């Protein structure tokens, strides 16, 4: 009997539309927790918690061989310390004695350790505060070999111990937003009392609150520019505060009418500059007049955050992250100082929900369809005379995304619009689609813009004609799944791009998601 061999590569993704008997070989007709990869399909690797400390998945164990162990043995969880060199480590499991006796202090064996700091070779060691327990026979070896079972057990113990050290973002309620700024994760969460939002950054020792001591004061009549880092003194109140940043919003120092805001760190805590008092530099020349009392920069609680990173100053390696939350004014954090962006529309209305950096301008989207943009090169100037402005869309804005060819995508509840050109040379607003808008929190750019609407996940492709775009659907083969979202009232809650895998990932409120 003659046999024939056929090869069918596993590729093409999921097909829920074509009858199973007609599906092309290699395509999937079902599956969960798998994704399309370069060579077919693979299990989704999973996720792990983070707070800036070493990733749990990278944890390893170390093997330390010892002799003259006794009169007791090291137990799992004990911290040992070198008697001379001061090296430290944590035991992952009870010490193993291969020969000798602990009672006679002649035990010879080995220890599985983690968090090894320093060198143990030739040094006696003890469980901290309990007395001498052994002498290291050699230096601790990373993944020193005893056997496959021990290797697996100790590796998992090291990972588990590292995972337990990773703390949640401090505070109460849900995490309001997460962003990566210059390689450092940022996260916003309400404080324990639920009275304010707190910005945190991940550090080697865990989550650290940033911007908590920042204050600001509005000034005008500036005649001599202040020096960053100098101490500013109130001419009436004698209050002292350290200057972090100077934000100039109009006028000039040279003409004696400079106006703007000062970002401060308090020296005399609990004291404020007074309204209409002169401000002077203590160590360097500087002069202006306060037009408000100095106040702490407080982020209101609640909201959902959207972020963008941009460098409006044009200085190398000097970007800032800009954020909106829908409950308060837009904010800027440059890595050290937190500042409020005042667009001039008043506290009640100045609560943008979406944000984009486009054509060296900051764009803010508001409920009701107001799209406002700053002056070119300065996200703190919002006056028409300086080049700022507003575009009325007529419905809530659900997405803002800067595209190629000087184009800004503006998503709404019922339509997709494109803003072409520049605001200085004349921009043109064009409606790309009026049959369905972008669902909130689903817009990302992975080579092309991608977003979810009633018809599925859409992609915008640049057409050959300059400035034009065409709209396609990426989820036609899983249309039944997309339809079920609406039928079961399942909503999209977030989307992200996995750049290294060239994937768009959509997350749903039932705990599932789609990878494209």
């Amino acid at each position: 009997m003659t046999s024939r061999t056929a090869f069918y590569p596993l590729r093409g993704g999921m097909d829920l539309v074509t009858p199973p008997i007609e599906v092309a070989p290699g395509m999937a007709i079902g599956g969960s927790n798998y994704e399309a990869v370069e060579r077919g399909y693979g299990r989704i690797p999973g996720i792990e918690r983070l707070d800036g400390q070493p990733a749990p998945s990278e944890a390893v164990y170390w093997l330390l061989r010892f002799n003259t162990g006794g009169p007791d043995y090291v137990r799992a969880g004990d911290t040992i310390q070198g008697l001379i060199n001061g090296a430290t480590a944590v035991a992952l499991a009870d010490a193993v004695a291969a020969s000798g006796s602990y009672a006679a202090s002649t035990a010879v064996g080995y220890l599985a350790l983690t968090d090894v700091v320093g060198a143990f070779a030739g040094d006696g060691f003890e469980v901290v505060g309990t007395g001498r327990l052994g002498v290291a026979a050699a230096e601790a070896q990373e993944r020193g070999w005893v056997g496959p079972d021990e290797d697996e057990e100790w590796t998992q113990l090291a990972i588990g111990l590292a995972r337990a050290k990773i703390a949640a973002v401090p505070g109460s309620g849900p995490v309001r937003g997460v962003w990566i700024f210059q390689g450092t994760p940022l996260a916003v969460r309400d404080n324990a009392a639920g009275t304010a939002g707190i910005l945190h950054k991940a550090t080697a020792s865990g989550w650290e609150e940033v911007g908590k001591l920042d204050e600001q004061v509005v000034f005008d009549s500036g005649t001599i520019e202040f020096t960053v880092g100098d101490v500013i003194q109130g001419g009436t109140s004698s209050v002292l505060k350290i200057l972090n940043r100077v934000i100039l919003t109009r006028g000039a120092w040279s003409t004696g009418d400079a106006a703007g805001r000062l970002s401060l760190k308090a020296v005399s805590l609990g004291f404020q500059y007074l309204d209409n008092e002169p401000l002077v530099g203590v160590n360097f020349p500087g002069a202006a007049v306060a037009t408000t009392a100095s106040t702490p920069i407080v982020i209101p609680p609640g909201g959902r955050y959207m972020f963008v990173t941009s460098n409006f100053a044009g200085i190398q390696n000097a970007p800032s992250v800009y954020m909106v939350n829908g409950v308060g004014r837009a904010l800027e954090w440059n890595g050290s100082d937190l500042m409020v962006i005042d667009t001039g529309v008043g506290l009640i209305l100045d609560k943008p929900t979406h944000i984009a950096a486009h054509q060296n301008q900051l764009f803010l989207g508001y409920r009701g369809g107001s799209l406002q943009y700053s002056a070119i090169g300065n996200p703190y100037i919002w006056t028409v005379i300086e080049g700022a402005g507003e575009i009325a869309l007529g419905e809530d804005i659900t997405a803002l995304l800067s595209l190629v060819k000087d184009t800004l995508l503006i998503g709404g509840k019922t339509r997709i619009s494109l803003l072409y050109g520049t605001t200085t040379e004349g921009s043109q607003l064009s409606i790309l689609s009026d049959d369905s808008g972008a669902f909130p929190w689903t817009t990302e750019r992975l080579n092309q813009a991608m977003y979810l609407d009633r018809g599925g996940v859409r992609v915008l492709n640049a057409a050959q004609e300059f400035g034009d775009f065409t709209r396609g659907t990426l989820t036609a083969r899983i249309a039944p799944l997309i339809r079920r979202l609406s039928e079961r009232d399942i909503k999209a809650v977030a989307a992200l791009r996995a750049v290294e895998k060239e994937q768009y990932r959509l997350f749903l409120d039932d705990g599932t998601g789609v990878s494209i």
Side-chain angles (χ1 to χ4, degrees):
M1 183 176 180
T2 302
S3 63
R4 293 190 300 175
T5 301
F7 170 69
Y8 300 107
L10 300 179
R11 64 176 61 156
M14 187 177 292
D15 188 343
L16 303 179
V17 177
T18 306
I21 197 172
E22 298 179 9
V23 170
M27 296 197 70
I29 60 173
S32 178
N33 294 332
Y34 277 78
E35 62 184 357
V37 295
E38 184 178 358
R39 296 187 178 183
Y41 306 116
R43 281 190 62 84
I44 295 175
I47 59 175
E48 66 179 347
R49 61 189 71 174
L50 64 83
D51 66 357
Q53 298 184 78
S57 60
E58 298 175 359
V60 296
Y61 70 87
W62 298 73
L63 188 70
L64 180 67
R65 299 187 181 276
F66 65 87
N67 52 43
T68 63
D72 201 351
Y73 66 94
V74 179
R75 293 166 175 78
D78 285 345
T79 297
I80 67 170
Q81 182 174 13
L83 299 177
I84 300 174
N85 299 331
T88 60
V90 176
L92 288 171
D94 292 352
V96 176
S99 62
S101 165
Y102 285 112
S105 294
T106 59
V108 177
Y110 53 84
L111 268 170
L113 305 172
T114 190
D115 293 342
V116 176
V117 178
F120 282 98
D123 193 0
F125 61 86
E126 66 171 354
V127 175
V128 175
T130 65
R132 180 167 173 162
L133 288 168
V135 174
E139 188 53 79
Q141 295 177 307
E142 183 177 346
R143 293 190 69 179
W145 187 252
V146 172
D149 292 341
E150 290 83 357
D151 180 77
E152 175 65 19
E153 176 188 358
W154 295 338
T155 297
Q156 292 306 314
L157 287 172
I159 290 174
L161 191 62
R163 183 181 294 120
K165 295 177 182 177
I166 306 298
V169 181
S172 63
V175 174
R176 302 290 179 178
V178 176
W179 190 248
I180 305 296
F181 177 59
Q182 294 187 306
T184 299
L186 304 176
V188 182
R189 193 180 185 194
D190 293 349
N191 60 15
T195 57
I198 304 295
L199 177 65
H200 301 83
K201 71 175 180 179
T203 72
S205 56
W207 292 109
E208 175 185 304
E209 183 178 340
V210 296
K212 59 183 178 181
L213 292 180
D214 287 1
E215 296 184 4
Q216 69 174 358
V217 63
V218 181
F219 72 90
D220 64 8
S221 304
T223 57
I224 304 175
E225 185 173 2
F226 294 104
T227 300
V228 172
D230 195 11
V231 176
I232 308 300
Q233 183 173 23
T236 304
S237 64
S238 298
V239 169
L240 304 173
K241 297 179 185 293
I242 297 175
L243 178 63
N244 288 330
R245 293 179 66 193
V246 180
I247 303 296
L248 200 64
T249 56
R250 67 178 189 274
W253 300 99
S254 59
T255 55
D257 60 352
R261 276 177 288 166
L262 305 179
S263 170
L264 309 158
K265 281 273 193 299
V267 177
S268 46
L269 294 174
F271 295 92
Q272 295 178 296
Y273 295 133
L274 303 177
D275 184 9
N276 205 37
E277 78 168 312
L279 306 174
V280 296
V282 173
N283 302 307
F284 300 93
V289 175
T291 59
T292 64
S294 55
T295 56
I297 297 177
V298 177
I299 303 175
R304 173 162 179 166
Y305 283 72
M306 300 290 287
F307 302 84
V308 67
T309 298
S310 189
N311 184 355
F312 292 102
I315 303 173
Q316 186 175 4
N317 298 323
S320 293
V321 58
Y322 299 86
M323 62 196 92
V324 296
N325 51 34
V327 294
R329 290 173 169 168
L331 300 162
E332 179 200 37
W333 191 67
N334 64 359
S336 59
D337 308 314
L338 187 68
M339 288 293 291
V340 175
I341 296 176
D342 183 1
T343 63
V345 300
L347 284 173
I348 296 178
L349 299 177
D350 202 356
K351 299 176 181 179
T353 59
H354 289 78
I355 189 169
H358 179 68
Q359 292 290 301
N360 205 26
Q361 292 173 285
L362 189 66
F363 282 74
L364 301 178
Y366 292 80
R367 297 180 182 89
S370 171
L371 177 63
Q372 300 192 26
Y373 52 89
S374 71
I376 293 178
N378 194 329
Y380 286 93
I381 295 180
W382 295 84
T383 58
V384 174
I385 194 172
E386 298 283 353
E390 178 182 16
I391 299 173
L393 278 301
E395 63 176 4
D396 286 353
I397 293 172
T398 61
L400 292 176
L401 187 65
S402 182
L403 305 178
V404 296
K405 299 181 179 179
D406 302 338
T407 307
L408 179 68
L409 180 149
I410 308 168
K413 285 187 174 181
T414 64
R415 62 176 178 263
I416 299 295
S417 303
L418 298 174
L419 183 67
Y420 296 100
T422 63
T423 58
T424 55
E425 298 176 358
S427 57
Q428 176 186 353
L429 185 66
S430 175
I431 297 178
L432 176 68
S433 168
D434 59 4
D435 59 351
S436 180
F439 288 174
W441 327 118
T442 66
T443 304
E444 281 289 349
R445 187 177 68 189
L446 190 65
N447 297 324
Q448 298 91 16
M450 304 169 72
Y451 63 89
L452 177 69
D453 68 9
R454 290 195 301 268
V457 176
R458 305 286 191 177
V459 59
L460 298 188
N461 296 301
Q464 290 186 352
E465 295 80 9
F466 180 79
D468 287 339
F469 288 83
T470 60
R471 187 179 63 150
T473 302
L474 295 175
T475 51
R477 287 176 174 164
I478 60 169
L481 187 151
I482 300 298
R483 285 197 300 270
R484 285 199 294 271
L485 301 184
S486 176
E487 293 168 357
R488 300 177 183 178
D489 197 28
I490 298 172
K491 295 181 174 58
V493 294
L496 60 80
R497 56 176 184 167
V499 178
E500 293 183 355
K501 293 188 174 184
E502 295 186 336
Q503 289 178 351
Y504 169 89
R505 294 179 179 176
L506 182 68
F507 299 90
L508 309 172
D509 65 1
D510 67 345
T512 66
V514 178
S515 168
I516 300 176

